[in-house]
């Protein structure tokens, strides 16, 4: 029996990949298993030589793995674009996210703030620095461990204001999604796929990726708070 195609991804794309894999598997009678972990950990496992047939991470991480010789040159396929949203614990007042100034005020007023270890978290850190408040809020910043959704910390009451990809907040119980960041400061991450140099199943993976970027996959991406990357 043919073993399943084996992939690894960051947590941000866990839900959309699960839906797309199920849809493709039903069409093509293909067995596919994608493990979703923190993006930093996923990249480390690829760098360490763990065997995969498919890798899905933020586009810059895919490019770095390709440059380091772990992924096939020219194999990158952009799958989805994902923006950042803001969450509070269910029942708490929703912050005003209508402008850059109102978001800055909400951050300053929050007793604690959290963002991910991924690219959106890095971009938020730079935003706080640009606003001149990074030092002021440093003692209230709660770093979510890799693979632990910010929304989970918000739901537990450990964090008052959480920033993360909308796709990672949609399915967390016990929180209210206040909305996306306003356009002036929205942080959009492109998540892409790459094919490892060691896999012998390149053609099968390419067929899967062809489906994932086709119009047939668009509704699933929208359901998971993302949009097609084209």
């Amino acid at each position: 029996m043919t073993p399943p195609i084996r992939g690894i991804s960051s947590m941000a794309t866990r839900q959309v990949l699960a839906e797309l894999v199920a849809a493709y598997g039903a069409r093509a009678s293909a067995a596919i298993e994608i493990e979703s972990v923190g993006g930093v950990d996923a990249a480390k496992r690829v760098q360490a030589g763990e065997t995969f047939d498919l890798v899905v991470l933020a586009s810059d991480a895919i490019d770095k793995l390709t440059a380091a010789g772990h992924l096939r040159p020219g194999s990158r396929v952009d799958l989805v674009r994902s923006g950042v949203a803001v969450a509070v614990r269910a029942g708490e007042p929703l912050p005003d996210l209508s402008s850059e100034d109102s978001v800055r005020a909400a951050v300053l007023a929050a007793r604690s703030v959290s963002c991910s270890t991924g690219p959106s978290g890095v971009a938020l850190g730079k935003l706080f620095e640009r606003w001149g408040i990074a030092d002021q809020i440093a003692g209230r910043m709660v770093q979510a461990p890799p693979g632990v959704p910010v929304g989970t910390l918000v739901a537990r009451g450990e964090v008052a204001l959480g920033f993360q990809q909308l796709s990672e907040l949609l399915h967390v119980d016990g929180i209210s999604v206040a909305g996306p960041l306003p356009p002036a400061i929205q942080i959009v991450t492109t998540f892409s796929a790459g094919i490892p140099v060691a896999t012998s199943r390149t053609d099968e993976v390419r067929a899967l990726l062809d489906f994932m970027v086709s119009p047939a996959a668009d509704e699933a991406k929208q359901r998971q708070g993302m949009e097609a990357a084209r």
Side-chain angles (χ1 to χ4, degrees):
M1 187 174 180
T2 305
I5 292 170
R6 184 167 181 251
I8 192 166
S9 80
S10 58
M11 294 297 292
T13 53
R14 179 173 63 92
Q15 294 284 354
V16 71
L17 290 176
E19 187 168 348
L20 293 177
V21 161
Y24 181 77
R27 290 182 176 209
S29 299
I32 305 158
E33 295 178 356
I34 298 183
E35 181 183 359
S36 295
V37 298
V40 173
D41 289 338
K44 286 180 179 178
R45 288 170 62 178
V46 175
Q47 290 166 342
E50 191 169 343
T51 302
F52 297 102
D53 303 303
L54 173 67
V55 180
V56 178
L57 294 169
S59 57
D60 62 339
I62 292 293
D63 289 345
K64 288 176 183 177
L65 290 172
T66 302
H70 300 289
L71 304 178
R72 294 178 185 272
S75 70
R76 172 180 149 181
V77 175
D78 295 340
L79 299 178
V80 292
R81 297 173 76 247
S82 178
V84 170
V86 183
V88 297
R89 195 175 192 184
E92 293 294 323
L94 300 182
D96 179 3
L97 306 176
S98 59
S99 69
E100 179 172 353
D101 286 344
S102 66
V103 176
R104 183 179 184 275
V107 171
L108 286 172
R111 61 175 172 78
S112 53
V113 179
S114 183
C115 54
S116 75
T117 56
S120 66
V122 173
L124 279 165
K126 292 178 180 178
L127 178 63
F128 298 155
E129 289 176 2
R130 178 168 70 77
W131 283 346
I133 65 172
D135 291 340
Q136 186 176 347
I137 65 171
R140 290 182 274 145
M141 290 297 300
V142 179
Q143 183 67 72
V148 177
V150 169
T152 300
L153 303 183
V154 175
R156 293 174 186 161
E158 297 173 18
V159 170
L161 198 65
F163 293 79
Q164 197 160 32
Q165 308 285 338
L166 175 59
S167 60
E168 294 189 72
L169 296 173
L170 283 177
H171 303 284
V172 179
D173 293 330
I175 68 171
S176 295
V177 178
L181 290 176
I185 55 170
Q186 179 56 271
I187 299 162
V188 177
T189 301
T190 298
F191 289 93
S192 307
I195 302 176
V197 295
T199 183
S200 61
R201 307 181 72 175
T202 302
D203 290 344
E204 295 170 80
V205 175
R206 288 193 189 280
L208 169 62
L209 294 178
D210 285 345
F211 168 75
M212 287 187 171
V213 297
S214 72
D218 288 356
E219 287 188 12
K221 294 171 183 179
Q222 292 165 5
R223 276 193 294 273
Q224 300 302 334
M226 296 179 163
E227 61 181 32
R230 61 174 183 271

